[in-house]
Amino acid sequence: MNNDIKEESKAPEAVAIMVPRRLDTEDAQLALERIQELLKKHEVVENLVRRQEEGDEQAPIVEGLLKRQHEVELEHLLNQMHPADIAFILESLPSEQRRLIWGLVNAKYDGDILLEVADWVREDLIASMNREDLLAATEDLDADELADLAPDLPADIVAEVQKGLTNEERAQLLEAMGYPEGTVGAMMDFDMVRVREDVSLEVVLRYLRRLEELPDHTDQIFVVDRQDRIQGVLSLSQLLVNDPETEVKKVMKTDYLSLKPNEEDSEAALAFERYDLVSAPVIDKQNRLIGRVTIAEVVDVIREDSQEQDLSRAGLHEEDIFAPAVKALKNRAPWLLINLCTASTASVIASQFEDTVSHIVILAFLMSIVAGIGGNSGNQTMTLVIRALAVGRITSKNFRSLLQRECIVTFLVGFLGSIVAAGFAWAFSGSLKIALVMAAAMVSNMLIGAVLGVLIPIVRDKFGKDPAMGSSVMLTFATDSLGFFIFLGLASIFLL
């Protein structure tokens, strides 16, 4: 809902309708804490009643009354909240409590909440719903919204819902479902306003007044011909400030930005960011208008991509943080095992210089500094490169200049840092040779980290892999192993 107050046109006077209020981050956190408090209170009271009234025929009645009292309080709190805030609450609770809360939410919000929650929560909620509940939750959704839910719904539910759609809505649903996830076609919506170019602005205004409301995020109207081929766009500001007798074609813009349904959604997000768009038309190969993308969908894409990138750096996929530990094993174990293997390799390399370390024991303390600094320097470079790849700034033509720049920057930073590190090593060991070896190894390992920080994500992206997935693990392996090798190797040459 977009308005806090709606007006009934047929009523003798305006009637205020209570709608769920939106919460800011702090209020949402307080609401979560309040719900957790009520759930804990309900559990404690329930256990006390069972222990104290055991064998008493009145116990089930007392327990039922107390349970209902807590449920009424929870219902009152939940049904004052916006579906997006309820989604936040559901994502923040373990499965058992989540399903209890889900059963108390007003059924009219079920569809909106299913659209808002994370995928792993949606799967859990849908699994807890029966056929009638699923049909009720999806029957009022638009075609594009149904397409979002369709992958998680049972096939018979999707088929049943289609029966209640008009021919146009059914065609839109099938079209949206036909595009792969992560494309513009999969996230476009079909609720938009079309007009002809040969009508006056007054005609357009009269047409808009007949609508109950404008589609969300409508900043422009799409101008099409009789075959639905797009001719231009008419902004609402142009519609309002120009003479009503002016024809649409005289004030419409023809230099609009359009999207193709098979483009990646990340490319659409970049276009919205670059041109500060609120909406954009989606057109097919024949230049026909088939849908639109709004800032609401783009914000979701940006948020999801950011979350996926953060998880990918640690070698993870999104998971239910309240799920049983066994379920998290498949998500976390693979890259940890790989990390264990790489760490073991670094240890094996270090063990080959046992004689060197046994003669100069202080090297065992200093070599971890060399490895750690190289890894940190490489991670800085890698973070910048992954970000640049995400926004499309790296091409085959600027790759070499980027690598050269990172090497120069890293050398300068490493040179300054090595002076500090050498001073520390000299003060700690009293040996100028150890200090010089420390400085040389540190600069060398930082350069290795910078080169790999550029190459690893670019190579992964070249082969169609997520450039962030596990890149830090591979970088750490290289900087640890080569850091130990360079430092201890130089020490063996110049100190023994």
Side-chain angles (χ1 to χ4, degrees):
M1 299 182 185
N2 297 319
N3 302 314
D4 294 328
I5 296 178
K6 288 187 174 180
E7 295 184 356
E8 298 287 348
S9 58
K10 295 182 180 180
E13 58 182 9
V15 179
I17 299 177
M18 294 297 295
V19 297
R21 66 188 184 93
R22 294 168 171 83
L23 305 177
D24 59 28
T25 302
E26 184 177 353
D27 287 341
Q29 187 66 41
L30 291 174
L32 172 61
E33 292 176 2
R34 177 58 179 158
I35 287 174
Q36 290 172 325
E37 181 184 318
L38 288 171
L39 289 169
K40 185 66 176 177
K41 185 178 178 181
H42 170 64
E43 182 182 351
V44 170
V45 172
E46 191 176 54
N47 290 335
L48 283 174
V49 170
R50 285 178 180 173
R51 285 200 300 267
Q52 294 178 0
E53 304 288 344
E54 191 170 338
D56 188 347
E57 295 180 358
Q58 302 261 339
I61 299 176
V62 174
E63 183 181 342
L65 289 173
L66 290 172
K67 180 180 178 181
R68 184 55 190 158
Q69 179 182 349
H70 287 108
E71 287 179 350
V72 168
E73 192 170 356
L74 283 168
E75 283 179 358
H76 179 70
L77 179 59
L78 287 167
N79 293 321
Q80 288 183 330
M81 298 170 64
H82 190 275
D85 296 319
I86 298 176
F88 165 74
I89 298 293
L90 293 169
E91 291 171 352
S92 307
L93 295 173
S95 181
E96 185 177 344
Q97 294 182 347
R98 182 188 303 148
R99 293 191 178 194
L100 172 62
I101 293 298
W102 181 238
L104 298 176
V105 173
N106 193 319
K108 68 180 180 179
Y109 301 133
D110 285 358
D112 293 328
I113 295 171
L114 288 174
L115 289 168
E116 293 285 348
V117 293
D119 292 343
W120 44 272
V121 176
R122 182 185 302 133
E123 293 171 4
D124 184 44
L125 297 179
I126 289 177
S128 70
M129 300 172 70
N130 58 37
R131 179 182 175 84
E132 290 72 23
D133 290 338
L134 285 172
L135 289 173
T138 54
E139 63 183 0
D140 293 327
L141 297 180
D142 295 332
D144 57 294
E145 295 172 332
L146 285 171
D148 290 339
L149 291 183
D152 298 316
L153 293 172
D156 63 315
I157 297 295
V158 177
E160 187 67 26
V161 171
Q162 288 187 47
K163 294 178 182 178
L165 301 178
T166 64
N167 291 335
E168 182 182 7
E169 291 172 334
R170 191 177 299 112
Q172 291 173 348
L173 174 60
L174 294 174
E175 182 172 15
M177 291 172 60
Y179 294 105
E181 186 176 356
T183 63
V184 168
M187 72 172 183
M188 68 181 175
D189 71 59
F190 305 97
D191 195 10
M192 53 193 167
V193 181
R194 299 177 174 90
V195 297
R196 300 276 187 262
E197 64 178 351
D198 56 354
V199 299
S200 68
L201 299 183
E202 176 61 29
V203 171
V204 176
L205 286 169
R206 287 203 304 268
Y207 169 67
L208 295 181
R209 292 190 190 103
R210 290 202 301 269
L211 301 176
E212 292 183 4
E213 60 181 1
L214 288 177
D216 291 339
H217 308 292
T218 296
D219 66 316
Q220 57 187 357
I221 296 169
F222 303 118
V223 184
V224 297
D225 62 16
R226 296 188 182 280
Q227 285 74 43
D228 259 352
R229 291 191 295 262
I230 190 165
Q231 305 298 306
V233 296
L234 174 64
S235 67
L236 292 186
S237 60
Q238 289 292 330
L239 174 63
L240 295 174
V241 302
N242 280 285
D243 188 337
E245 300 303 320
T246 306
E247 286 190 341
V248 169
K249 62 183 176 183
K250 293 183 179 179
V251 293
M252 70 180 187
K253 296 180 180 178
T254 56
D255 59 344
Y256 57 89
L257 179 133
S258 62
L259 303 171
K260 302 291 185 182
N262 290 316
E263 290 181 22
E264 293 185 6
D265 55 11
S266 57
E267 294 179 5
L270 290 175
F272 270 68
E273 180 184 5
R274 186 180 300 117
Y275 300 114
D276 296 325
L277 302 177
V278 175
S279 68
V282 182
I283 60 174
D284 63 12
K285 294 179 180 179
Q286 287 74 42
N287 206 39
R288 291 179 302 188
L289 179 67
I290 59 174
R292 66 166 186 156
V293 172
T294 69
I295 189 64
E297 288 87 13
V298 169
V299 169
D300 289 340
V301 169
I302 294 173
R303 176 176 54 82
E304 289 171 4
D305 286 351
S306 176
Q307 291 174 347
E308 288 176 3
Q309 195 174 94
D310 290 340
L311 291 171
S312 294
R313 286 173 187 162
L316 294 175
H317 298 286
E318 189 176 38
E319 69 175 47
D320 184 351
I321 60 174
F322 300 105
V326 175
K327 289 189 175 181
L329 188 61
K330 291 181 179 179
N331 189 17
R332 305 193 190 187
W335 281 105
L336 287 178
L337 292 175
I338 293 173
N339 201 7
L340 176 61
C341 293
T342 59
S344 299
T345 303
S347 298
V348 169
I349 291 175
S351 69
Q352 302 304 307
F353 297 91
E354 183 178 355
D355 291 340
T356 304
V357 176
S358 63
H359 282 83
I360 311 174
V361 178
I362 194 174
L363 297 179
F365 301 98
L366 296 177
M367 66 182 186
S368 61
I369 298 176
V370 174
I373 291 297
N376 289 338
S377 173
N379 271 314
Q380 287 183 340
T381 299
M382 182 177 289
T383 300
L384 293 173
V385 171
I386 290 173
R387 175 57 185 163
L389 284 170
V391 297
R393 291 180 183 146
I394 296 180
T395 66
S396 58
K397 296 186 181 298
N398 63 14
F399 162 71
R400 290 186 178 180
S401 60
L402 171 66
L403 182 60
Q404 183 179 12
R405 175 190 177 276
E406 286 302 314
C407 287
I408 293 173
V409 170
T410 301
F411 177 78
L412 294 175
V413 173
F415 179 75
L416 295 175
S418 66
I419 295 175
V420 177
F424 171 77
W426 188 15
F428 200 59
S429 65
S431 170
L432 180 60
K433 288 185 177 181
I434 291 178
L436 293 174
V437 167
M438 177 77 173
M442 181 173 165
V443 172
S444 300
N445 202 32
M446 287 181 68
L447 285 171
I448 290 172
V451 171
L452 293 177
V454 174
L455 291 179
I456 291 174
I458 288 179
V459 170
R460 286 186 62 82
D461 182 67
K462 188 72 173 177
F463 286 94
K465 304 294 184 181
D466 183 351
M469 176 61 75
S471 293
S472 61
V473 175
M474 291 185 279
L475 176 67
T476 301
F477 160 64
T479 53
D480 283 357
S481 301
L482 295 177
F484 291 163
F485 180 78
I486 293 171
F487 180 57
L488 296 177
L490 291 174
S492 299
I493 296 172
F494 295 105
L495 300 181
L496 293 183

